[in-house]
Amino acid sequence: MLAEIKTLTPILERPLTAPYYRPIGEEVALFEAAARQRLPVLLKGPTGCGKTRFVEYMAWKLGRPLATVACHDDLTTADLVGRYLIVGEETVWLDGPLTAAVRMGAICYLDEIVEARKDTTVVIHPLADSRRLLAVDKRGELIPAPAEFMLVISYNPGYQSVLKEIKPSTRQRFVAIEFDYPAADIEAEIVATEGGVDVECARKLVKLAELTRNLKGAGLDEGASTRLLVHAAQLIAAGIAPQTAATAAVARALSDEPDMSETLDDLVRAVFG
Amino acid sequence: MSARRLFAHELEEALDRVLYASPSHRSIERLALLLEPLSRAQQDLVLHWAGVAAQTYAEIGYLIASLAPQVFARLDERDFAAWVIHGLDTYDKQGLRPAMEVLRDFEGFLAAKEGRAFARFEEVEARLSRLIQGLSGRPLSLRIGPYPYTDTETIFLPERIGQYAAHADNRRLYQALAVRLWAQARFGTYRADLTHALSQYADRELACQWLCCLEAMRLESCIARELPGMARELARLRSPWPDELACAARDLQADDADISVSLRWLARLMEKNVLPPPLTGLGVLAPELAQRVRDARIEKDTEILRRALMQSLTPGERKARMTTQIDAQRGVVEIRIDGEAVWLAPEAQEAAQSLIQDLGELPPELLAPAGPAEGKLPQPRQRLAEPERIEERRADFYYDEWDYLRQAYRRGWCHVYETEGKAGTGDFVRETKKRHAARIRQLKKKFEAIRGEDRLLGRQLEGEEIDLDAHIEALHDRKSGAEPSARLFARRQRNERSFAAMFLIDMSGSTKGWVNDCEREALVMLCEALEALGDAYAIYGFSGWTRTRCDLYRIKSYSERYDEAIARRIDGIEAKDYTRMGVAIRHVTRLLAAQPAKHKLLVLLTDGRPDDFGDEYRGVYGVEDTRRALLEARRQGVRSFCVTIDRAGQEYLKHMMGPAAYVILDDARKLPLKIAEIYRRLTV
Ligand SMILES: Nc1ncnc2c1ncn2[C@@H]1O[C@H](COP(=O)(O)OP(=O)(O)OP(=O)(O)O)[C@@H](O)[C@H]1O
Ligand SMILES: [Mg+2]
């Protein structure tokens, strides 16, 4: 019966050029070791601190294709594993990104895993322990993962909702690598490189980020991420005045509340005014 | 009358004459020196009016003369006379103290006369305190003070500022003052023993003023390195530095300049015996006050760190020499033994960082090898026994309490009395509902929408939609001759929320007044929202008086519906006694844990740290017990969230809340508007 149905598998590309990634601690060595030992990896850290970039970089470094899935609350098992489609008269099976990654021996990166529906995590469990199996229930198929397949998930522990917590049974299957915003010098280097501004300007943006991070929990859910700094830098590189750029890309991006906006403006002024 | 300015010795004589009851000769000498740079016309005016005032009251005459140089910097000769008369009028009507105050506040006099727009502390407080929170370093709170200074834990600012005509400029001056004082605490103005340093000068007051100038200059460049925009703003708001400081500038602005550089230059300036110009907006130094606060803090931090080290080191390690390393990038302090970093608990890390900020290093005796003389370590201070209260009826419940000193529970230590909350009139609730009617309508809509969120159930025997996946499969099964499933439909099902919430309200004495009002208002909003949502919820208030009288007031139990009776009880919530938090958390956790819901959420509304009558529960003990109670709750499947209205409290909160999440509201008035949203965010 399986043989009758045509199976479509999307082709996952191998990255050709090295993405820019500035290592911060021992994350590269850890990831490589995990890959060698066929262990799944959990990347933990606040938004915009370089998790996605890191996975892209590691995929390139290990020479493996990468399938990235941004999880959301409507993501079903079928979205990950695959589904039947009707093409003309014929029923075909289309592999989901997870199945494709297993077949090809790729890295599958599930971004923001807690956003996904609870039942989707069930399908990754057998893949994330020593069985390394993907069960495609709809086809009654069990696919053993090749050595090169690697499961990577990310998780931002900053969420406050009770529902957005990773279950211990999931968490304990993964090697966890913790990310945080890098130390000031390194972060400035990243912002300068990614944003195309000089280090002096990048340093100021990093200083601003530090100030906003001090407000975490006291009006802000999160301080400015490296990503926001890169955005501000890119605006500056495009000819926008630094204060205007920082206001638009950092201050306005962090809060809509009038009181908080006012304070963020004060901080922008303290650095760029 | 000749137009020649009077020299100091002539002024001295004249002053002696008009101020017959002068406090001391030295102060007259100084006063003369102060008046010497004035024009002759001004000098004459001062002597005249000081004399007139002295006939009414000697101290007023003296005050007028000593304020004169500053007053002339701001007022002309005619206004000077009006200012004095205004002061004397006040004396006649209200007495000495108000008169002195009115005179000191010549800015206010001028501002009122010019119709200038004051900025007031209340209007800038919230914004400034957020700004200060954003700037790094130890948290500082803001308060109104007689003059602008900091004791390194609180920044004191005047009640109003009217130096400039425009309101906006006066607000800017507030900000500048706050930032300069923040810098004093941040960049180590009080790291040296200023009390001692200043006592070496005969004219201590003068030395203190010069030191303040020198420090302002040094700190401005510290600020410029991190916050160039802010430094520019500070420079805009002050007059140019006095010439005498020009030669000190290079030293003071060096990257590594610290308070010792200012003290060195102070010695040189004092030799020259010149007066500092009346620079405003720099704040003042308060060495004695700051020193006291700082010493107490250093002692406390040292003790915390010492204990942490004792706990995490083996006896062998304690004999080794420790070194410290400061990771300036992250502001983290590392203590190392033979190159190995010692793990420090968060509170110990915080204490270490605070010590570095105060001392520039960790106290050497802390890092010295302890050797065999371990017994010499100071013992925990004798605890003060709590007074016991005898209650007429037996308690309803008994709870254990965590004693961090013993690292053990005290069994059945706290006596809980649970009673129904007192009923009020219900007017407050009605009024709140009326006032926030629009907002409540909006909330209800929003919450009904959450409740109404659907979920699509696939592979049902019947349903309003076709399940495409199932259909395709069936099609395929039929083709291949297998038995096709009849479950081909999808059905929308209401998303089953399964939440039980417990709101625990701080009814301690400190909430009296508007905090209590805001808590009650917040509860009204919450009830409205939660009714729309359909989650199970209960509300309890707590207060008490020692461990033998811990009161829990039932405002709404899980089985009660939100109705008039509940509204009356919300109305009846009032500020009572103390905040023994741990036991209250334990009691409501027990009630919450018994709920059948899948997710259990405890929301704690409080205005500050745990505290109880007597000294025992206050401080570390209460914080540790509360932390423990939250951990216990967590183990029972209860998630906690704390909403705190306490700007000053950030230091201990992170530790205390360990297992719980929290949010700090800088303004209680935001609570009613925010609480429902906070709850929503926790549960979707
Ligand atoms: N170590 C780094 N090296 C290079 N670029 C970095 C690094 N860290 C952050 N960045 C920059 O920050 C941006 C945001 O990073 P990224 O998208 O990887 O964040 P993330 O952690 O995946 O965030 P989210 O949790 O929101 O998905 C990147 O596009 C990159 O420009
Ligand atoms: Mg990402």
Side-chain angles (χ1 to χ4, degrees), chain A residues 1 4-5 24 78 83-86 89-92 117 138 160-165 180-186 204 207 210-212 214-219 221 257-260 262-263 265-267 269-273, chain B residues 126-131 133-137 171 175 226-232 236 327 329-330 455-456 459 469 472-473 475-477 479-480 499 599-601 634 639 641 650 661-664 666 670 674 681-684:
Chain A
M1 163 192 130
E4 279 176 36
I5 300 171
I24 290 161
R83 52 168 41 94
Y84 288 110
L85 294 177
I86 304 173
E89 273 288 271
E90 201 185 356
T91 304
V92 295
R117 295 251 300 255
K138 286 185 183 169
Q160 289 173 346
S161 173
V162 201
L163 300 181
K164 293 201 175 139
E165 282 217 328
D180 202 344
Y181 302 121
D185 286 346
I186 299 178
K204 284 188 178 175
K207 182 70 209 175
E210 265 170 39
L211 302 182
T212 64
N214 289 334
L215 289 170
K216 181 172 173 179
D221 295 334
E257 250 189 84
D259 284 356
M260 224 349 139
E262 197 178 67
T263 295
D265 287 349
D266 286 346
L267 296 178
R269 222 172 295 128
V271 178
F272 290 100
Chain B
R127 180 167 175 180
L128 283 184
S129 90
R130 283 193 302 269
L131 174 69
Q133 165 101 47
L135 306 179
S136 27
R171 289 181 67 132
Q175 186 191 357
E226 292 190 6
L227 309 164
M230 183 60 78
R232 275 192 284 275
R236 276 194 291 269
D327 183 345
Q329 297 274 345
R330 298 180 167 278
R455 197 157 56 127
L456 201 58
R459 298 180 194 283
D469 279 349
I472 292 166
E473 247 169 72
L475 198 77
H476 175 77
D477 287 344
K479 257 196 190 166
S480 61
F499 277 96
H599 302 288
K600 293 164 195 153
L601 195 61
R634 179 71 203 255
R639 302 294 318 281
F641 190 84
Q650 332 245 336
Y662 64 92
V663 59
I664 300 160
D666 57 5
K670 287 186 187 157
K674 288 229 166 140
R681 294 240 313 247
L682 284 171
T683 60
V684 296

Side-chain angles (χ1 to χ4, degrees), chain A residues 14-19 54-66 107:
Chain A
R14 246 168 263 271
L16 293 176
T17 52
F54 171 66
V55 178
E56 286 165 0
Y57 171 76
M58 290 312 299
W60 170 82
K61 196 151 195 279
L62 296 171
R64 299 185 195 173
L66 173 66
I107 296 176

Side-chain angles (χ1 to χ4, degrees), chain B residues 397-408:
Chain B
F397 303 92
Y398 295 88
Y399 287 93
D400 298 349
E401 187 167 273
W402 178 252
D403 180 346
Y404 83 108
L405 287 172
R406 294 191 204 164
Q407 291 288 305

Side-chain angles (χ1 to χ4, degrees), chain A residues 8-35:
Chain A
L8 301 176
T9 299
I11 308 290
L12 301 171
E13 302 284 349
R14 246 168 263 271
L16 293 176
T17 52
Y20 166 68
Y21 180 75
R22 166 69 163 84
I24 290 161
E26 284 159 316
E27 72 275 22
V28 173
L30 260 174
F31 194 98
E32 278 176 333

